């Protein structure tokens, strides 16, 4: 796990975007796993800038989003479909048929989850998965006590997650209780992970993820067992890491080819 601590979220997002852009330039048909939420917004702004100003081409890229709320259609203002088109897809040249987001209105949810996994496999697997971390240590919507080997499935949202995400809904009771999410097994099968976490609120789950035991109580801790994870943090999110100085030195002394 490479831990990369930057002075602020903007600098971290720029570095993460550079890593992603290098991958897309080397492999134009890259398969990306994408996240929603406040954390990747800076990364998405930077990808849009790279596309507009430096011609970064997404025409052969395929994307799979981590999750979607059950019961919300693509036009619902709080759906992750709406989020992704508003914050990223509207500005990139990814063909519509290359974009995959779980269907919150699927009638047969288990069948939909199975076909989502098939689509990931048919696309050749995820080359790079973008992740945020929940205040309770979740990745995707894999809440504490989720199975480490799970694949795309419907989960019941933890009350902490519902509280954190309720502000995006008109009224708290409109916040769904369930979501379709890639499983932890799906995430672990991706070839590389880019985890981003910013702000004091993330300091504790970040420290548990990087320095704690691998436990289903902190789903993100499983990433310690993934062979290629980069964690981009700002100073606040890194503030509870006992080994922050060590992490900094380790990363600074890497050769350039290992940094991208
Ligand atoms: C979003 C997702 C979640 C978020 C996490 C952090 O697609 O899967 O795991 O990454 O809840 O959310 P923010 O970034 O809003 O703090």
């Amino acid at each position: 796990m490479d831990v990369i601590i930057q002075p602020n979220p903007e600098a971290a997002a720029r570095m993460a975007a550079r890593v992603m852009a290098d991958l897309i330039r080397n492999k134009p048909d890259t398969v990306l796993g994408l996240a929603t939420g406040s954390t990747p917004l800076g990364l998405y702004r930077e990808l849009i800038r790279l596309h507009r100003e430096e011609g970064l081409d997404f025409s052969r890229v395929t994307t799979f989003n981590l999750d979607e709320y059950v019961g919300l259609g693509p036009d619902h203002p709080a759906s992750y479909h709406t989020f992704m088109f508003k914050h990223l897809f509207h500005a990139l040249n990814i063909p519509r048929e290359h974009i995959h987001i779980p269907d919150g209105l699927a009638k047969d949810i288990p069948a939909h989850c199975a076909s989502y996994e098939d689509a990931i496999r048919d696309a050749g697997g995820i080359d790079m998965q973008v992740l945020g971390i929940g205040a309770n240590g979740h990745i995707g919507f894999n809440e504490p006590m989720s199975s480490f080997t799970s694949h795309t499935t419907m989960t019941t949202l933890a009350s902490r997650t519902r509280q954190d995400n309720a502000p995006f809904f008109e009224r708290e009771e409109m916040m769904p209780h369930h979501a379709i999410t890639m499983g932890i097994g799906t995430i672990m099968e991706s070839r590389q992970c880019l985890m981003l976490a910013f702000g004091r609120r993330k300091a504790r789950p970040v420290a548990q993820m990087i320095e704690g035991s691998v436990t289903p109580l902190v789903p993100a801790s499983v990433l310690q067992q993934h062979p290629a994870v980069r964690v981009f943090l700002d100073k606040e999110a890194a503030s509870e890491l006992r080994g922050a100085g060590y992490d900094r030195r380790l990363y600074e002394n890497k050769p350039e080819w290992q940094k991208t």
Side-chain angles (χ1 to χ4, degrees), residues 190-208:
S190 62
R191 293 181 188 95
Q192 296 185 53
C193 294
L194 284 191
M195 156 70 75
L196 294 97
F198 307 130
R200 188 72 194 85
R201 204 171 67 86
K202 297 294 173 72
R204 196 171 152 70
V206 160
Q208 290 174 319

Side-chain angles (χ1 to χ4, degrees), residues 10 25 29 36 44 66 82 99 119 129-130 161 219 241 248:
E10 293 74 28
R25 286 192 189 101
D29 60 349
T36 55
Y44 294 164
L66 279 168
T82 300
I99 293 173
Q129 176 66 56
V130 177
T161 301
L241 285 176
R248 269 204 187 89

Side-chain angles (χ1 to χ4, degrees), residues 120-246:
I120 293 174
R121 208 168 309 115
D122 291 348
I126 294 172
D127 291 305
M128 184 173 277
Q129 176 66 56
V130 177
L131 295 167
I133 184 169
N136 63 359
H138 72 207
I139 45 175
F141 274 137
N142 296 285
E143 303 286 25
M145 301 315 290
S146 299
S147 154
F148 281 173
T149 56
S150 62
H151 287 88
T152 303
T153 186
M154 190 186 89
T155 57
T156 303
L157 299 173
S159 33
R160 178 71 201 264
T161 301
R162 293 193 67 244
Q163 270 163 29
D164 286 350
N165 291 0
F168 297 100
F169 290 81
E170 245 173 79
R171 292 191 311 280
E172 194 174 332
E173 62 273 19
M174 291 167 89
M175 165 85 201
H177 283 270
H178 300 102
I180 295 173
T181 180
M182 279 184 201
I184 295 180
T186 322
I187 294 168
M188 291 296 280
E189 283 159 14
S190 62
R191 293 181 188 95
Q192 296 185 53
C193 294
L194 284 191
M195 156 70 75
L196 294 97
F198 307 130
R200 188 72 194 85
R201 204 171 67 86
K202 297 294 173 72
R204 196 171 152 70
V206 160
Q208 290 174 319
M209 165 180 72
I210 296 172
E211 296 178 344
S213 315
V214 175
T215 164
L217 290 170
V218 182
S221 64
V222 73
L223 294 172
Q224 292 177 26
Q225 295 178 348
H226 189 290
V229 180
R230 289 184 181 86
V231 185
F232 291 91
L233 304 173
D234 67 351
K235 273 197 295 209
E236 282 75 24
S239 60
E240 288 196 25
L241 285 176
R242 278 173 298 165
Y246 173 80

Side-chain angles (χ1 to χ4, degrees), residues 36-70:
T36 55
S38 54
T39 308
L41 288 175
L43 167 68
Y44 294 164
R45 275 194 295 272
E46 184 61 13
L47 290 177
I48 292 171
R49 191 195 67 74
L50 289 169
H51 172 63
R52 288 190 173 146
E53 295 176 16
E54 296 182 22
L56 184 63
D57 181 19
F58 288 81
S59 63
R60 294 177 58 199
V61 167
T62 296
T63 66
F64 288 90
N65 261 78
L66 279 168
D67 38 26
E68 179 58 286
Y69 291 115
V70 170

